[in-house]
Amino acid sequence: MHDRTLTEISQALDAGEISSRELTQDLLGRIDRLDGTLNSFVSVTADQALEAAEAADQARARGEAGRLTGVPLALKDIFCTQGVKTSCGSKMLDNFVAPYDATVVEKLKAAGTVSLGKTNMDEFAMGSSNESSFYGPVKNPWDLDAVPGGSSGGSAAAVAAGLVPAALGTDTGGSIRQPAAFCGITGLKPTYGRVSRYGMIAYASSLDQGGPMARSAEDCAHLLNVIAGHDVRDSTSVARGVPDYTEELSAPLSGLKIGLPKEYFGDGLDAGVNQAIGEAIKVYESLGASVREVSLPHTAYAIPAYYVIAPAEASSNLSRYDGVRFGHRCDNPEDLIDLYKRSRAEGFGEEVKRRILIGTHTLSEGFFDAYYKKAQQVRRLIRQDFLDAFEEVDVLMGPAAPTPAFDLGAQKDPVSMYLQDIYTIAVNLAGIPGISVPAGFAGKRPVGLQILGTHFAETRLLNVAHQFQQATDWHLKRPEMTEENS
Amino acid sequence: MQWETVIGLEVHVQLATRSKIFSGSSTAFGAEPNTQANAVDLGLPGVLPVLNEQAVAMALKFGLGIHAEIPEVSVFDRKNYFYADLPKGYQTSQMYHPIVGAGEVEICLEDGENKIIRVHHAHLEEDAGKSLHEDFHGMTGIDLNRAGTPLLEIVSEPDMRSAKEAAAYLKAIHSIVTYLGISDGNMAEGSMRCDVNVSVRPKGQQEFGTRAEIKNVNSFRFVERAIAYEVERQIELIEDGGKVVQETRLYDPEADETRSMRTKEEANDYRYFPCPDLLPVVLDCAYVDHLRESLPELPAEKRARFQSELGLSAYDAGVLSASREMAEYFEQVKDICGDAKQAANWVQGELSGALNRDGLDISDSPVSAEQLGGLVKRVIDSTINGKAAKQVFQALWNGEGDSADAIIEAKGLKQVTDTGAIEAMVDQVISDSPAQVAQYRDAEPDKRGKMIGYFVGQVMKASRGTANPQQVNALLKEKLDALC
Amino acid sequence: MALEHAEVLRAAHLARIDLSENDAAHYHDDLGRILEMVDQLQALDTEGVAPLAHPLDATQRLRADEVTENDQREHFQRCAPQVENGLYLVPRVVE
C-alpha cells in the first residue's frame, strides 16, 4: 500500500480494501523502521494520527467520507498545528507547541485527512538542501549521500520513501519544486495568494506559498482542491472561486503551446538533466504540443533581487522571536538587550542569521533605495518577462534545478548554494504557479521537469503534468528502501 | 535678544473602534492584563493582520474634517525596532503613503483672532502594549492589551509660536475628533497623547533652531507647561553660549521640567519598508463622498455660524462650539427659547456655573437642554422675572419638577403684571410704612431714588417675588411722589 | 558597495543578535560575497519602473469592526518562558 498514490489509496479506502487505521499503523511502522536513516520527520504524532484515522473510518462507515477522508499525510513543520510542536526547523521554536491551527491544517482536518506528523525542513525555510535544520539534514531516499533538496526536504523525502503518500510543503524560492525534483516526486507551488498563509510561519511574506507534494499531478489536484481558497484571516489570499482541479486533468494536449526559456538551458546546466528534459519535451511533442524558444531576459537578475527582498522581509518577520512570549530564551539575561541578543544568537542557526543580517543591512538608512527599491523595480521587470511570454505560449518548461541532487555537505559556500535556485526563484518573484514532475534520472538521482503557467493557471498546469504522467512512468519509480538501513 | 518659539505637534489619537486595527480583539479600557491580546496581537508565529474598516473610515473622517487631501492609495509600512512592549519587533504604521494628506486646523486665540495651523499629514498605526514596573522580582511586566489599538497620528507643520497656541491647537484637535465621534478624547486614559517639537530662534531669523522633542505629554495643561519650561531652558542655554542638541526629552509634571531621555542608545534606524502582509488600501471615490456627506458640522464652522448668523461674540461662539455636547445643548436651548443671546447667557452663566461647581460634564447635566430652553422661554415672554428664573433653575437642578412651567405653577412664581393687583400691593406697603414714607418725603429729591428700594423690596416680598419689578418701581415712584 | 566591518556589527546590533568578534569576521566575509552578488542589480537600468511589492495587483480588503476574540490568556501563555499575574516578564526596563 505504501507505494500507491494518494488517489489509489483513496479508492482502496472506498473499496474497503484497507481501513484508515490499518494504513496509518502500517505507515507509522514504516516511519519507525526507515526514518532513523532519512530523518524526514521532526515529530511523529502517532496517537493523534490513530485517533484521526479511527474517526475517519467511522465517518466512512456512516457514509460521510469525502475524497480524502482517512488519507494519511504529513505537514512541513512550518504549519502551526494546535497542541503539536511546530519548530520551523529551528532551535528557536524547539519548545513551541502551537496554540492554534493554520488555515490549511484546519482545512485538511475538516477533509478527514490523517496527519502522521511534522516533516523536517531548512530552518525557517531558508535553504535549498535541508542542511540548515536544527534537527540535522534529511537524506535523499534515492541516494543516502545526496541531499533531498530544500527547504521542504523532509516532505519530499518522506513521500519519495513511501512513508506517507503526500505532504504539504511551502515554496518561497523553489522550496517545493526543487526538493520534489531531487526526490522524484510531484510538487506544486500555487499562484501567490491561492492558498492561505495564515498559520504558515512566515519567511518572506510576499513570496511564501504553501502547496502539495505527492506522487502524481492527480494527487496534487485532490490536495489543492482542499487547501486552496480565500481566507478572511490572510489579507493577501485571493478572493476568487476554487475550481475542481481534477476536472481538466484528462483534457488532450493537442495544440498546447510550450515555451522553452532559452535562459533555462544555458551554462551550468548538467548534461544528464538537460538530456532528461529534452526527452520529456519530445514526449509532449508526441502528445500534440508545439514547442518554441522564448526569452525571459531578466532571469539573471532574479537571484540578486530575491536575496534583497526575501532577507529584508525575513529580517522583519523574524523579529518576533525575542524570547518574551514564546520560543527560546537565554539563561539569566542581564537586561532586555542581553535577553534579545543572546536568545536570538542561541536560537537561530547560521543561515538564518546570515539572512537576517543581510536584510537588516539592505533596509538600513542609506541603502534602502539602492537595494530594496531597486530589487522591487527589478521584480516588476521579472514579472513582466513572464506575462510577455504567456502572451505567446500556454506554459513554460525547463529543468527545476540545474543539477540533480548534490552530495550532502557539497555546497559549502552560501552564494553557490543560492545559485542552485536559478530556475525556481523568479517564479516566486512573479507570483505565478509552477509544478515539478519526475522526468527521469541523471545517474541514480531523479530529474524534475518544471512547468510554469500564468497566474491562476493551476488547472492547466495539473492537466499538462497529468498527461505527461499518463504517457510516462517516471512518477511511479520508487527508490529501494532496504529496511535494514535503519 | 528677542526670541521666537517654533512648535510642531504630533498628536496620537486613539480611535474609538470596538476591535483592534488588525485583529478582532476588544479595545475596551481597563481589562485584566493580556486578556485582550489574541494570537495576532501577540505576534505568534504565522499570524497575519487584516485591516479594520472603521479605523479607515475614522481616519478619513478626520481628513475630510480638516479639508485635507485624501490620497487614492495609502500603504502600511513596518517600523522596525525592538522594545519590550512591541510584540512583533516592528510597528505597523504608514511612512510613505499616509491615509490623510495635507490639511488645515483653525485655532481660536485668546484675543478672539483665528489662526490656521497646517497639518502635514495624518497616518494610521497600531499602538504598543504597556510595561509595568512594579516589582516583579526586579523584572518588568508586559501587558499587551493595548497592542494593536488603532491610532491616528496627526503631524502638524511647525506653525505654532507659543505654548498657548500649541494648547489651542491641541484643544482644536480634541474638539474635532470628539465632534466626529472618532475618539473619546480621554486624555487621562491615554486616548490622546502628544509629542511636542520645540525650538527657538532669534526673532526675524528664517531658519529654524535645533529642536527638542518632548515625548508623551498627556494633558492640555502639561503641554503649555512643558513648552514654557523647554523654551526657557533653550533660551538660557543659548544665551549662556551653549547649543541645543536634537534629542528626545521627557516632561516630568511633578518637577515641572523636561529631562533628556537615555542617550546611551545610539540613534535608531527604523528600516521602514512596505508591510508585505497588507496590500495597498485603495479608496473608492463614492465611499469617500459618502463619508464626506455624513460629516457633522465641525467646531470651526459652527463657531463662524454662531457669530455670523446668531450674532454671538467671538468669545461666546468659541466657548459654545468647543465641544459637540456643549454646542448641541446650546442650539437646543436656542431653538426652544428662540433667542440665541439669552440662550448663550444662560448656558454660559447659570448652567456652566452649576456644572463647574459640581464638577459635572455637560452631558451629565441634571438640567436638560429642553428644560433650560423652557425656562429661558418663560423669561423672554415675561412669565417670570429674573429672580424667579434663578429659583426655577435651582429647582430643576434639584429635580423638583419636570419642566420650568410645572415648577412655576407649583411654586406660584408666575410674574404678576396685572396693574390692579400690583397697585393694591403698593398701596398696602405705603400705608404699612408711615415712617419710611415720612423719611422719603423729607429727603432731598435726588436722594429719593435710593430710598425707593426699600418699598420695592417690600412689594416684591409681598408678591413672593412674582411682581414685575419695573411695574412696581414705576407705580411706587408715582404714588410716593404724589405724597410729597 | 563594499561592506564595512562596522556595518556588520551595526546590523547585528539592530537585529539584536549577539556576535562574537570571530563570528563577525566570518559573517563579514559571507555577507560581503552575498552583497557582491546582489550588486549585479545595479547594472540594470530601472529608471521609471514602479517598484513591485506584491506579485498580484490586489488591494487591501477590510474587515468589519467586530470583536470576534475572547480571552485566551492562559492558553496563549502556556508557551511563554516567564509569566506572572498574567504579565509577560522581561528584565527590568528603565524608562
Side-chain angles (χ1 to χ4, degrees):
Chain A
M1 196 56 73
H2 67 261
D3 53 3
R4 299 212 196 163
T5 67
L6 180 146
T7 310
E8 288 161 355
I9 285 171
S10 161
Q11 284 157 359
L13 287 167
D14 265 349
E17 270 177 56
I18 191 169
S19 71
S20 176
R21 194 193 157 85
E22 288 164 337
L23 179 60
T24 300
Q25 263 171 334
D26 183 33
L27 293 176
L28 286 171
R30 199 170 155 79
I31 292 169
D32 201 35
R33 292 190 302 279
L34 296 175
D35 206 44
T37 307
L38 290 178
N39 195 28
S40 66
F41 279 84
V42 170
S43 309
V44 177
T45 51
D47 293 346
Q48 290 102 315
L50 289 168
E51 211 174 292
E54 256 164 45
D57 286 334
Q58 283 161 17
R60 191 172 298 280
R62 290 193 303 271
E64 291 166 9
R67 170 62 78 179
L68 298 187
T69 301
V71 169
L73 41 74
L75 302 164
K76 185 177 182 179
D77 206 19
I78 198 169
F79 292 99
C80 283
T81 41
Q82 180 154 359
V84 175
K85 176 168 99 172
T86 300
S87 72
C88 223
S90 181
K91 178 182 177 186
M92 182 59 88
L93 291 178
D94 184 46
N95 61 4
F96 179 64
V97 174
Y100 74 103
D101 276 332
T103 296
V104 293
V105 173
E106 272 180 3
K107 287 182 166 206
L108 286 168
K109 279 185 182 173
T113 64
V114 175
S115 171
L116 302 190
K118 310 291 291 288
T119 55
N120 203 344
M121 56 183 282
D122 278 301
E123 185 180 5
F124 282 99
M126 298 179 191
S128 310
S129 67
N130 218 114
E131 291 168 300
S132 78
S133 170
F134 173 62
Y135 301 97
V138 177
K139 290 185 178 155
N140 190 319
W142 290 95
D143 183 341
L144 297 177
D145 294 331
V147 300
S151 64
S152 313
S155 290
V159 172
L163 306 186
V164 71
L168 236 48
T170 62
D171 190 317
T172 306
S175 285
I176 285 175
R177 292 159 289 152
Q178 182 253 27
F182 281 12
C183 290
I185 65 164
T186 305
L188 171 70
K189 181 208 98 77
T191 305
Y192 181 80
R194 181 71 292 188
V195 172
S196 169
R197 294 188 296 114
Y198 191 82
M200 192 179 106
I201 297 177
Y203 157 24
S205 310
S206 77
L207 301 161
D208 295 342
Q209 185 61 201
M213 304 174 79
R215 298 207 175 111
S216 71
E218 189 178 15
D219 290 2
C220 288
H222 285 301
L223 285 164
L224 189 61
N225 276 347
V226 173
I227 62 171
H230 179 230
D231 181 3
V232 293
R233 291 177 294 189
D234 175 3
S235 298
T236 61
S237 88
V238 178
R240 187 181 168 117
V242 179
D244 179 351
Y245 290 108
T246 61
E247 231 164 45
E248 302 285 321
L249 288 174
S250 305
L253 297 188
S254 55
L256 180 79
K257 286 181 273 184
I258 297 172
L260 304 181
K262 65 175 185 202
E263 293 80 5
Y264 285 23
F265 293 88
D267 289 345
L269 178 58
D270 176 90
V273 173
N274 193 15
Q275 196 190 335
I277 299 301
E279 299 291 333
I281 302 297
K282 280 186 200 142
V283 171
Y284 276 107
E285 282 176 316
S286 75
L287 293 172
S290 64
V291 176
R292 73 180 76 166
E293 186 182 89
V294 295
S295 176
L296 302 170
H298 296 97
T299 298
Y301 298 100
I303 291 177
Y306 177 91
Y307 278 97
V308 173
I309 292 168
E313 292 183 6
S315 71
S316 178
N317 284 336
L318 271 62
S319 291
R320 67 190 59 201
Y321 306 102
D322 61 4
V324 177
R325 296 164 319 288
F326 46 77
H328 177 73
R329 181 181 206 150
C330 68
D331 289 332
N332 307 316
E334 269 171 39
D335 54 25
L336 190 61
I337 294 234
D338 184 46
L339 166 72
Y340 290 154
K341 287 194 166 180
R342 280 199 291 127
S343 298
R344 290 165 62 77
E346 293 165 9
F348 292 138
E350 188 171 322
E351 183 60 26
V352 170
K353 287 187 215 174
R354 204 154 29 225
R355 294 197 195 186
I356 291 175
L357 292 175
I358 280 286
T360 303
H361 176 71
T362 54
L363 283 178
S364 64
E365 219 175 307
F367 297 104
F368 180 84
D369 281 1
Y371 288 123
Y372 191 77
K373 187 175 162 218
K374 183 85 180 179
Q376 286 207 324
Q377 290 174 313
V378 172
R379 184 173 188 180
R380 184 174 294 278
L381 298 175
I382 287 167
R383 183 179 72 163
Q384 197 56 47
D385 280 355
F386 285 108
L387 297 180
D388 291 345
F390 290 124
E391 291 286 311
E392 287 179 48
V393 298
D394 301 314
V395 292
L396 296 171
M397 286 187 191
T403 64
F406 44 87
D407 286 348
L408 281 156
Q411 298 286 354
K412 296 231 174 353
D413 169 54
V415 174
S416 42
M417 178 82 92
Y418 299 167
L419 296 175
Q420 292 292 317
D421 294 333
I422 176 78
Y423 304 141
T424 47
I425 250 172
V427 169
N428 299 75
L429 292 168
I432 59 172
I435 191 168
S436 176
V437 294
F441 291 84
K444 58 177 179 173
R445 299 180 185 180
V447 172
L449 167 72
Q450 181 176 230
I451 312 168
L452 306 176
T454 195
H455 296 119
F456 301 104
E458 285 84 354
T459 300
R460 195 50 176 293
L461 290 190
L462 289 162
N463 161 233
V464 170
H466 180 70
Q467 288 307 304
F468 182 73
Q469 292 180 338
Q470 295 304 104
T472 62
D473 62 358
W474 297 119
H475 66 293
L476 300 177
K477 304 276 186 215
R478 298 282 175 263
E480 269 179 48
M481 291 296 296
T482 47
E483 305 209 347
E484 289 75 40
N485 277 342
S486 51
Chain B
M1 169 136 25
Q2 287 266 30
W3 294 93
E4 183 177 52
T5 307
V6 175
I7 303 162
L9 258 57
E10 292 164 19
V11 183
H12 296 81
V13 175
Q14 201 177 91
L15 297 177
T17 55
R18 283 190 284 267
S19 64
K20 294 190 177 176
I21 184 167
F22 298 122
S23 87
S25 295
S26 170
T27 54
F29 182 79
E32 284 294 301
N34 292 310
T35 55
Q36 288 174 182
N38 77 345
V40 174
D41 311 320
L42 295 173
L44 290 185
V47 299
L48 296 169
V50 185
L51 182 58
N52 183 333
E53 189 266 338
Q54 271 304 304
V56 171
M58 287 177 176
L60 292 175
K61 282 185 188 172
F62 177 79
L64 294 167
I66 61 161
H67 311 289
E69 294 163 31
I70 305 292
E72 197 191 331
V73 178
S74 80
V75 176
F76 284 92
D77 301 296
R78 290 184 183 176
K79 178 181 182 178
N80 294 283
Y81 65 100
F82 284 85
Y83 202 67
D85 52 21
L86 188 71
K88 301 187 295 293
Y90 58 83
Q91 179 193 30
T92 308
S93 179
Q94 299 190 301
M95 175 66 175
Y96 301 107
H97 302 281
I99 188 153
V100 172
E104 290 181 342
V105 170
E106 191 181 60
I107 62 169
C108 196
L109 304 177
E110 273 182 338
D111 58 9
E113 291 294 300
N114 293 339
K115 178 174 175 177
I116 298 289
I117 306 297
R118 292 168 302 154
V119 168
H120 179 270
H121 76 271
H123 64 259
L124 280 168
E125 61 185 26
E126 57 184 342
D127 207 346
K130 262 192 211 159
S131 301
L132 302 163
H133 305 293
E134 293 99 79
D135 198 26
F136 297 102
H137 335 289
M139 301 190 87
T140 290
I142 307 296
D143 173 10
L144 296 171
N145 279 350
R146 203 179 63 187
T149 299
L151 296 179
L152 185 67
E153 179 172 339
I154 303 157
V155 181
S156 84
E157 296 283 0
D159 284 356
M160 286 151 275
R161 292 293 173 268
S162 69
K164 288 222 176 321
E165 286 188 19
Y169 170 78
L170 194 59
K171 283 179 185 156
I173 295 288
H174 185 269
S175 78
I176 292 170
V177 300
T178 51
Y179 258 76
L180 290 168
I182 62 172
S183 175
D184 64 15
N186 188 332
M187 296 185 89
E189 289 176 6
S191 298
M192 241 176 103
R193 310 192 290 272
C194 168
D195 299 340
V196 188
N197 287 297
V198 184
S199 64
V200 296
R201 62 181 171 189
K203 244 198 163 95
Q205 179 181 303
Q206 283 301 303
E207 315 83 81
F208 293 126
T210 306
R211 67 189 156 86
E213 184 181 23
I214 315 170
K215 280 268 180 212
N216 255 329
V217 195
N218 50 16
S219 89
F220 297 118
R221 202 158 48 99
F222 291 167
V223 164
E224 270 193 71
R225 283 169 43 184
I227 294 172
Y229 174 87
E230 180 60 20
V231 167
E232 203 174 313
R233 183 189 75 86
Q234 292 188 10
I235 292 173
E236 259 177 42
L237 189 62
I238 300 169
E239 286 183 343
D240 289 350
K243 260 187 161 175
V244 176
V245 280
Q246 185 164 344
E247 62 177 352
T248 304
R249 301 179 69 85
L250 206 62
Y251 177 66
D252 175 351
E254 269 162 43
D256 189 24
E257 61 178 25
T258 66
R259 276 199 302 266
S260 181
M261 286 174 83
R262 289 172 299 158
T263 45
K264 65 177 182 189
E265 282 282 315
E266 71 279 29
N268 259 312
D269 182 342
Y270 292 123
R271 292 158 283 138
Y272 283 98
F273 76 108
C275 177
D277 288 330
L278 291 162
L279 301 168
V281 179
V282 177
L283 296 171
D284 178 46
C285 274
Y287 178 68
V288 176
D289 287 344
H290 162 75
L291 286 176
R292 187 181 282 121
E293 280 155 25
S294 73
L295 288 193
E297 187 182 35
L298 289 171
E301 298 156 28
K302 255 198 210 315
R303 192 164 62 230
R305 181 168 60 82
F306 286 179
Q307 286 181 255
S308 65
E309 280 182 25
L310 305 181
L312 299 187
S313 70
Y315 177 80
D316 287 354
V319 172
L320 291 170
S321 61
S323 84
R324 188 170 176 173
E325 290 77 18
M326 176 71 95
E328 280 171 357
Y329 191 106
F330 158 71
E331 292 220 70
Q332 212 181 334
V333 172
K334 177 212 73 181
D335 289 345
I336 294 168
C337 77
D339 185 322
K341 282 185 187 165
Q342 285 279 7
N345 286 343
W346 274 89
V347 170
Q348 287 184 89
E350 210 63 22
L351 178 73
S352 295
L355 289 171
N356 284 342
R357 185 192 63 219
D358 290 4
L360 292 175
D361 200 72
I362 193 153
S363 48
D364 306 320
S365 170
V367 179
S368 71
E370 219 173 356
Q371 290 172 325
L372 186 60
L375 167 58
V376 180
K377 189 174 169 185
R378 293 301 168 231
V379 173
I380 293 165
D381 69 10
S382 298
T383 304
I384 51 174
N385 61 38
K387 200 170 166 207
K390 290 192 179 179
Q391 266 181 273
V392 174
F393 179 84
Q394 201 51 51
L396 285 170
W397 187 270
N398 296 337
E400 293 166 24
D402 288 341
S403 69
D405 285 350
I407 289 166
I408 292 165
E409 185 64 38
K411 293 191 181 265
L413 294 176
K414 196 161 180 185
Q415 179 162 263
V416 177
T417 50
D418 168 11
T419 316
I422 293 176
E423 197 169 353
M425 283 188 279
V426 166
D427 288 344
Q428 188 65 44
V429 165
I430 288 175
S431 74
D432 288 353
S433 317
Q436 285 80 1
V437 172
Q439 278 179 11
Y440 186 89
R441 201 171 41 213
D442 297 344
E444 294 295 320
D446 60 327
K447 298 268 168 64
R448 285 177 182 157
K450 266 192 181 167
M451 300 178 74
I452 207 164
Y454 167 79
F455 299 98
V456 174
Q458 291 302 306
V459 176
M460 291 308 286
K461 198 171 164 187
S463 74
R464 293 181 347 276
T466 60
N468 180 312
Q470 287 82 31
Q471 276 176 292
V472 171
N473 222 308
L475 259 174
L476 272 170
K477 195 165 176 341
E478 189 190 312
K479 298 222 170 204
L480 284 169
D481 286 351
L483 293 174
C484 296
Chain C
M1 281 174 274
L3 182 72
E4 308 278 336
H5 186 67
E7 289 171 338
V8 177
L9 298 178
R10 184 179 143 77
H13 177 67
L14 284 172
R16 299 293 186 265
I17 293 175
D18 200 24
L19 281 193
S20 68
E21 268 303 311
N22 248 348
D23 289 344
H26 166 68
Y27 281 109
H28 186 188
D29 196 43
D30 283 352
L31 301 191
R33 273 177 305 130
I34 296 168
L35 288 176
E36 207 174 290
M37 181 268 283
V38 160
D39 275 338
Q40 292 171 52
L41 292 175
Q42 308 309 328
L44 197 58
D45 181 9
T46 52
E47 183 76 34
V49 178
L52 181 70
H54 292 97
L56 304 172
D57 297 304
T59 59
Q60 181 63 35
R61 243 180 10 265
L62 304 176
R63 49 167 261 274
D65 180 24
E66 284 161 7
V67 176
T68 53
E69 300 285 332
N70 47 15
D71 171 21
Q72 294 190 72
R73 182 173 79 183
E74 216 176 297
H75 179 59
F76 288 138
Q77 291 192 338
R78 235 168 269 152
C79 58
Q82 199 178 358
V83 288
E84 193 172 309
N85 297 337
L87 296 160
Y88 294 95
L89 294 193
V90 299
R92 190 160 188 81
V93 177
V94 193
E95 291 268 306

